[in-house]
C-alpha cells in the first residue's frame, strides 16, 4: 500500500494508473475507521482496479462549538485496517495543503442543506461539498463510496455530482451496525458505558417507526410522536430532530407515501448521534 | 470538425481522445465569435492536440434586467470561424441539457465577486463559476482559455481552479482591439454609429491613465478623476464604475503600487461595455 501526503505526488501516481486504463475507486473519510468505512473500501475493491482512501478531518464541516479538536484519530491503526480491507492508496494531507490561507471558493447545494442536520449545523454541508469537490478533483475517481448512515450527505453529494456534471458514479452503501443495532460511528467512542447502552434508542425508534408504518400508519405526526416519546424515556437523550421527509426533496411530509426518509439526530450526553431509515411506502388503501 | 449537442456523446468522443494520450484545450464561449475568441482558439490549437469550443449562452450569468433574450447569435457563422481558427470540436448544448429543472448547486468565489462588475451584477459570477465548473467536468480539458478583456472573470476562475484543485491550467490571452482601440466584444454589435464612435472613450481613458501613471502619478483618486472627467465628455456615456484595484485581491487601492488593475464599465447608450489595463507599478521614488 502507498501512502501520500502531498497532492502533486498523488496526482502523478494516479495519472499513471489512469494511463494504464485502470478504474479508480475512492473512499473519502475522516479516519478512525470502523466497519462502516471498511464496508465502503470492500465495495470499492470489488468494483475497481485501484482503491484510494483519504483520511482528512475537514475543519470547514465543523461548526465553531463542535468537536473538531477532539475528533478521534488513530492513523497507524487506520492504515492497518485499510490495507486489510484491500485499499491500495491512502492520501493523508496536512491542513495547510488542503486549504490555502486565501481560500474563498465554496460549493453550495441549495434547498437540500438547510434542514435536518443542516438546521443545527448551518455551514456543515457547504464544508462537505467543498472538500469532496476538492478531493474528487485531486483523485479523479471513476466511483466514490459513501455510507447511508449520513443519508443527507449522500443525497447532497449525489445532487452536486449531477448538477455539476462531475464524471463520477456515487455509490451509497448500507449502514453498518453493532450487534445491538447502534449505527457504527467514530463518535461512538465518546460514549460512556451508560450512554452507550441508552444510545440504542435511536435504532429502536427507527425499528418501531418501521413497524408502525408497515402496520398501515400513514401519519407522519403520529410516527414522529411515538419516536419522540420513546427517545424521551432515556434520561441522557436530547433530541436535535426527528423528521420524516421525502427522500429526494428532503422536505417534511405529512402523509407517508413513496420514497421516504425517517431520520433523527439525538444527543446522548454530549455526543450527537444520527441514524436513519429509508423506505418505500405504498399509499394506504382503505 | 465535429459538432456535439449532447453531453454523453461528447464524453464518449473525448474519452477516446484522452485514451490516445492526447491533450485537450478548451475555449468556453457564448458564441457570436469575434477575433478575441479566435485568438483563444488559436492559442489552444498551438498548445494542445485537440481544441474544443463550447457555445452556450448561459442564463445564470445574466441578471433579470439584462440582455439574455437579445444576446447576439449566429451559430452557422461561428462554426465557419471556429473551423478556420483550427477548432476540432464544437459543443452546442441546449438549455434543458445544461440545467435540469431541479438544479440547486452553485460554485461561489467569495471576496472576489462582489466588487467591480459584481456590484451591478450581483449573481453574475456565481453563474459564470457554476457553468464553467460544469463545462470543465464535461470536457475535462488539460488547458482552458479565457480573455483578459473579462479580467475579473479570469481572476475569479483562476482562484476557483486553485481553491478546488481542478486539474486544469488556465491560460489568459490578451485583449483584442479594433483599429481605434475599442476592445472586441459581441455586445459592440448593439452600438449605433454614433455610440460606436463614442465607445472609444473606454480605451482612451485607460491609455491616459497609463500615461499619467507612467509619468509618476501614484494617487488612485487623481487617476480615476481624470478618467471620469474624460468619459463624461461623451454625451452617451454613463459610468458604472471606474476602479483601480490590486490585481490579486480586487480590492480598491489608494496608492498605486505593484500589480494593479485599472478597470472600467461604461454604458454607451444602453450597451454596457467593459475594458481594463493590468500593469506593474514601481513604488514612486522621490
Amino acid at each position: 500500500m502507498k501512502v501520500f501526503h502531498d497532492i502533486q505526488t498523488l496526482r502523478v501516481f494516479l495519472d499513471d494508473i489512469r494511463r494504464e486504463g485502470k478504474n479508480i475507486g475512492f473512499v473519502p473519510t475522516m479516519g478512525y475507521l470502523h466497519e462502516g468505512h471498511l464496508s465502503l473500501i470492500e465495495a470499492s475493491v470489488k468494483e475497481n482496479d485501484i482503491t484510494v482512501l483519504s483520511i482528512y478531518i475537514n475543519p470547514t464541516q465543523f461548526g465553531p462549538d463542535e468537536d473538531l479538536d477532539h475528533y478521534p484519530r488513530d492513523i497507524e491503526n487506520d492504515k492497518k485496517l485499510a490495507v486489510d480491507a484491500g485499499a491500495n492508496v491512502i492520501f493523508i494531507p496536512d491542513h495547510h495543503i488542503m486549504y490555502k490561507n486565501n481560500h474563498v471558493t465554496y460549493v453550495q447545494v441549495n434547498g437540500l442543506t438547510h434542514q435536518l442536520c443542516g438546521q443545527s449545523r448551518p455551514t456543515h454541508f457547504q464544508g462537505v461539498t467543498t472538500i469532496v469537490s476538492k478531493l474528487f478533483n485531486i483523485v479523479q475517481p471513476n466511483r466514490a463510496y459513501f455510507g447511508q448512515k449520513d443519508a443527507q450527505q449522500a443525497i447532497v453529494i449525489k445532487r452536486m455530482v449531477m448538477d455539476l456534471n462531475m464524471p463520477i458514479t456515487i455509490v451509497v452503501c448500507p449502514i453498518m451496525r453493532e450487534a445491538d443495532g447502534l449505527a457504527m460511528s467514530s463518535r461512538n467512542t465518546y460514549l460512556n458505558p451508560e450512554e452507550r447502552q441508552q444510545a440504542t434508542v435511536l435504532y429502536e425508534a427507527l425499528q418501531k417507526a418501521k413497524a408502525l408504518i408497515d402496520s398501515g400508519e400513514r401519519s407522519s405526526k403520529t410516527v414522529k410522536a411515538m419516536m419522540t416519546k420513546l427517545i424521551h424515556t432515556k434520561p441522557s437523550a436530547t433530541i436535535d430532530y426527528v423528521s420524516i421527509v421525502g427522500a429526494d426533496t428532503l422536505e417534511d411530509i405529512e402523509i407517508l407515501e413513496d420514497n421516504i426518509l425517517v431520520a433523527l439526530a439525538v444527543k446522548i450526553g454530549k455526543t450527537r448521534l444520527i441514524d436513519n431509515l429509508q423506505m418505500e411506502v405504498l399509499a394506504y388503501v382503505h
Side-chain angles (χ1 to χ4, degrees), chain A residues 129-159:
Chain A
T129 45
T130 300
I131 192 68
V132 169
S133 292
K134 287 168 68 68
L135 290 167
F136 280 0
N137 283 325
I138 292 167
V139 177
Q140 297 174 251
N142 301 83
R143 298 184 189 84
Y145 296 78
F146 294 87
Q148 173 66 19
K149 157 84 177 334
D150 300 298
Q152 187 175 13
Q153 171 178 279
I155 288 163
V156 166
I157 286 170
K158 281 203 276 190
R159 182 62 71 85

Side-chain angles (χ1 to χ4, degrees), chain A residues 192-206:
Chain A
N192 68 34
E194 196 180 344
E195 290 169 344
R196 171 65 189 81
Q197 210 221 315
Q198 296 187 16
T200 57
V201 75
L202 280 84
Y203 184 58
E204 204 184 326
L206 290 172

Side-chain angles (χ1 to χ4, degrees), chain A residues 134-270:
Chain A
K134 287 168 68 68
L135 290 167
F136 280 0
N137 283 325
I138 292 167
V139 177
Q140 297 174 251
N142 301 83
R143 298 184 189 84
Y145 296 78
F146 294 87
Q148 173 66 19
K149 157 84 177 334
D150 300 298
Q152 187 175 13
Q153 171 178 279
I155 288 163
V156 166
I157 286 170
K158 281 203 276 190
R159 182 62 71 85
M160 172 185 79
V161 165
M162 195 176 74
D163 281 355
L164 296 186
N165 306 97
M166 295 177 173
I168 298 170
T169 301
I170 300 300
V171 183
V172 181
C173 298
I175 299 175
M176 299 297 284
R177 299 183 179 283
E178 304 290 351
D180 61 4
L182 178 66
M184 291 190 182
S185 164
S186 306
R187 289 189 171 100
N188 291 350
T189 189
Y190 295 149
L191 301 168
N192 68 34
E194 196 180 344
E195 290 169 344
R196 171 65 189 81
Q197 210 221 315
Q198 296 187 16
T200 57
V201 75
L202 280 84
Y203 184 58
E204 204 184 326
L206 290 172
Q207 288 300 95
K208 293 231 160 116
K210 184 176 185 318
L212 200 54
I213 298 166
D214 284 345
S215 76
E217 183 57 59
R218 290 296 177 271
S219 157
S220 175
K221 198 173 162 187
T222 304
V223 176
K224 288 189 290 189
M226 176 281 295
M227 294 173 73
T228 301
K229 196 174 162 195
L230 177 66
I231 294 162
H232 281 156
T233 64
K234 305 293 176 186
S236 67
T238 320
I239 291 175
D240 180 355
Y241 65 82
V242 170
S243 295
I244 307 185
V245 295
D248 298 318
T249 62
L250 297 185
E251 278 170 22
D252 277 320
I253 48 176
E254 292 185 10
I255 306 298
L256 307 182
E257 208 178 276
D258 300 328
N259 192 5
I260 69 166
L261 179 72
V262 187
L264 72 174
V266 177
K267 271 198 169 177
I268 302 291
K270 290 180 172 178

Side-chain angles (χ1 to χ4, degrees), chain A residues 98-154:
Chain A
M98 289 308 281
Y99 290 101
K100 304 285 181 193
N101 280 338
N102 60 356
H103 183 100
V104 289
T105 306
Y106 294 91
V107 179
Q108 287 190 322
V109 180
N110 299 326
L112 296 175
T113 53
H114 62 278
Q115 63 279 75
L116 305 179
C117 289
Q119 186 129 32
S120 59
R121 309 185 76 190
T123 59
H124 173 68
F125 288 108
Q126 175 182 289
V128 169
T129 45
T130 300
I131 192 68
V132 169
S133 292
K134 287 168 68 68
L135 290 167
F136 280 0
N137 283 325
I138 292 167
V139 177
Q140 297 174 251
N142 301 83
R143 298 184 189 84
Y145 296 78
F146 294 87
Q148 173 66 19
K149 157 84 177 334
D150 300 298
Q152 187 175 13
Q153 171 178 279

Side-chain angles (χ1 to χ4, degrees), chain A residues 42-53:
Chain A
E42 285 156 11
S44 172
V45 168
K46 270 189 201 149
E47 296 182 301
N48 303 280
D49 302 306
I50 291 282
T51 290
V52 179
L53 173 81

